Amino acid sequence: MSGTASTVAIVGAGHAGGNAAALLRQYGFDGVIVLIGAEPVPPYQRPPLSKTYLTGELDEARLWLKPSTFHAEHRIDQKLGAAVLSLDRAAKQVALADGHVVNYDKLILATGSTPRTLAIPGHDLDGVVTLRSLADADTLRSRLGSGTKLIVIGAGYIGLEAAASARRLGHDVTVLEAAPRVLSRVTGETVSAFYAGEHRTQGVDLRLDAKVAAFVGKDGALAGVKLDTGEIVPGTLALVCIGIVPEVALAQQAGLVCTNGVQVDDDARTSDADVFAIGDCACRPLPRYGRMGRLESVHNALEQAKLAAAAIAGKPRPACDVPWFWSDQYDLKLQTAGLMEGFDAAVVRGDPGARRFSVWYLKGGALLAVDAVNSMPEFLCGKKLAGSDRKLDVTTLRDPATDLVRFAADTLA
Ligand code: FAD
């Protein structure tokens, strides 16, 4: 399609959609690109919203994915503050809330996800919030004032990052987690225990096995969170961070195959050959793990943007990496390469007490994933090894004296 006057419409101007537009041009696509986003702002990075943007260390100007002149210079027609209400695959059109219709030859769905909410009494009280968008982060920032008592519900990445940021600002923070450990969906027990200890040391009142039953209000505003034990945890602001659901309404309405996200193939193509789905909303093949799955990360958004843009521009399929993630809490950088699910052995290198260590998750002797805390070199070596089925020499891996760069090179030779 490169060089032809066709139109690619992209629905969702977030991390995946914004990158897909830029990559189409980078890969030589010369047709019309229409980037349509429901939010009133150009594509931006979400990770700082729970980290340095929330603490005020990073200002808005540094959130944007591209400089302000980029889209005009690259002939990318941005339609912002424009929600797409429907998709007509037969007519190859999307209809916007303002009544406009955009025709396409190829369509990329990059609609992201929305925060899960708690359908419990009091969920609509003033002071019960979620964190997904820049607007949400601004609301949260404006409500974190003196005397705020923040209750974070959910000890996943975003909940713990927001808790750490609020503590750095000096606020009183309670974290309520229904599971017996923090980060239980994404890491093993050693890392969970380390982060639980760290948050407690930093002054967070972390409650595990704490199941939320209701939000309790006074004069229409939040006054606390009631647990299933009947205890009421006092608080003026509750941030609900209990995961996300993929935004698949358009795809479903248009009859695309959706199961836990829009199903796509290795090129990010949906069950309609002219429609692609990328980022948080897409359920993609994960060959290393023998299953389909959704990945909620910047790396995945960018990688799938590359896949879709390359397929549309007629370029070879770009190589894929193992999934990788990061989380910044206090002065700790957690970097994860691979998915640890189904591991049968875990090797700890370094010393959690020194706040610098890594955990290597193995299955049948091959590396599934590594978690590295303040250990960039271990993350980088683990990333290489997690992409391979080669068996690791566990005795050498366990040895603190092992030069990991050499170890990775020897293992992969
Ligand atoms: P999004 O970036 O959410 O973009 C989707 C866009 O589509 C949104 O702007 C939405 O408004 C728009 N949209 C949806 N429906 C329509 C419609 N019908 N019409 C028009 N527009 C529509 N990942 C990491 O790897 N590391 C991190 O440290 C990290 N931290 C995070 C912290 C926070 C607070 C959050 C919220 C996310 C974080 N993530 C992190 C996750 C990462 O930001 C997401 O995985 C990534 O943004 C996904 O990109 P996306 O384009 O699929 O979705």
Side-chain angles (χ1 to χ4, degrees), residues 11-17 36-39 46-47 49-51 82-84 110-113 131-132 158 161 247 250 278-281 296-299 301 326-327:
V11 180
H15 222 106
I36 311 162
E39 293 182 70
R46 284 173 212 276
L49 301 183
S50 50
K51 309 177 183 76
V84 170
T111 46
S113 52
L131 177 57
R132 178 74 196 172
I158 294 177
E161 287 171 0
E247 185 50 70
L250 284 177
I278 61 176
D280 280 12
C281 72
E296 301 161 5
S297 69
V298 161
H299 160 245
W326 81 91
S327 177

Side-chain angles (χ1 to χ4, degrees), residues 22-338:
L23 285 159
L24 278 165
R25 286 286 180 248
Q26 192 180 313
Y27 293 161
F29 174 75
D30 196 32
V32 174
I33 300 174
V34 188
L35 177 61
I36 311 162
E39 293 182 70
V41 289
Y44 59 91
Q45 311 172 59
R46 284 173 212 276
L49 301 183
S50 50
K51 309 177 183 76
T52 45
Y53 184 74
L54 193 55
T55 57
E57 291 157 88
L58 185 102
D59 61 25
E60 189 183 88
R62 291 176 59 202
L63 290 179
W64 312 127
L65 282 188
K66 301 288 178 197
S68 58
T69 53
F70 179 88
H71 296 94
E73 281 168 9
H74 291 80
R75 295 178 293 115
I76 295 166
D77 177 9
Q78 288 192 103
K79 296 192 185 306
L80 303 176
V84 170
L85 295 188
S86 64
L87 158 60
D88 181 340
R89 292 197 288 126
K92 292 196 159 193
Q93 287 180 338
V94 290
L96 276 53
D98 66 4
H100 281 92
V101 163
V102 175
N103 297 306
Y104 68 83
D105 297 292
K106 302 284 181 200
L107 177 70
I108 300 178
L109 294 173
T111 46
S113 52
T114 45
R116 234 177 248 286
T117 51
L118 280 167
I120 55 174
H123 65 91
D124 51 356
L125 282 168
D126 183 42
V128 179
V129 298
T130 54
L131 177 57
R132 178 74 196 172
S133 65
L134 179 54
D136 294 339
D138 287 338
T139 300
L140 185 56
R141 264 167 65 147
S142 70
R143 298 196 71 134
L144 282 169
S146 71
T148 304
K149 187 179 183 331
L150 176 68
I151 301 177
V152 176
I153 299 173
Y157 286 140
I158 294 177
L160 290 184
E161 287 171 0
S165 297
R167 280 303 299 143
R168 285 180 73 153
L169 293 170
H171 299 293
D172 187 345
V173 181
T174 300
V175 174
L176 304 176
E177 168 56 55
R181 60 187 180 93
V182 305
L183 298 172
S184 60
R185 206 166 60 90
V186 293
T187 191
E189 303 213 347
T190 303
V191 175
S192 291
F194 171 77
Y195 274 91
E198 184 65 26
H199 280 274
R200 286 181 171 135
T201 302
Q202 299 280 354
V204 171
D205 179 9
L206 170 65
R207 313 268 196 102
L208 302 174
D209 292 309
K211 297 183 182 60
V212 170
F215 295 103
V216 181
K218 192 172 174 221
D219 302 328
L222 184 80
V225 173
K226 187 175 183 182
L227 304 180
D228 66 350
T229 55
E231 179 188 354
I232 293 176
V233 179
T236 54
L237 185 61
L239 175 62
V240 180
C241 295
I242 55 169
I244 55 175
V245 281
E247 185 50 70
V248 295
L250 284 177
Q252 266 175 344
Q253 164 254 320
L256 296 171
V257 177
C258 297
T259 318
N260 179 30
V262 190
Q263 297 274 307
V264 296
D265 66 11
D266 290 325
D267 289 316
R269 206 183 291 264
T270 68
S271 49
D272 178 331
D274 292 325
V275 182
F276 295 75
I278 61 176
D280 280 12
C281 72
C283 185
R284 62 180 287 182
L286 299 171
R288 176 83 180 85
Y289 307 95
R291 64 173 177 91
M292 301 283 290
R294 276 192 322 102
L295 298 172
E296 301 161 5
S297 69
V298 161
H299 160 245
N300 175 64
L302 180 57
E303 185 168 273
Q304 285 201 299
K306 286 182 187 167
L307 293 170
I312 292 170
K315 296 286 181 205
R317 183 188 299 156
C320 288
D321 227 341
V322 289
W324 57 268
F325 313 86
W326 81 91
S327 177
D328 297 331
Q329 298 168 43
Y330 309 108
D331 59 342
L332 299 167
K333 181 172 282 294
L334 169 62
Q335 292 169 293
T336 298

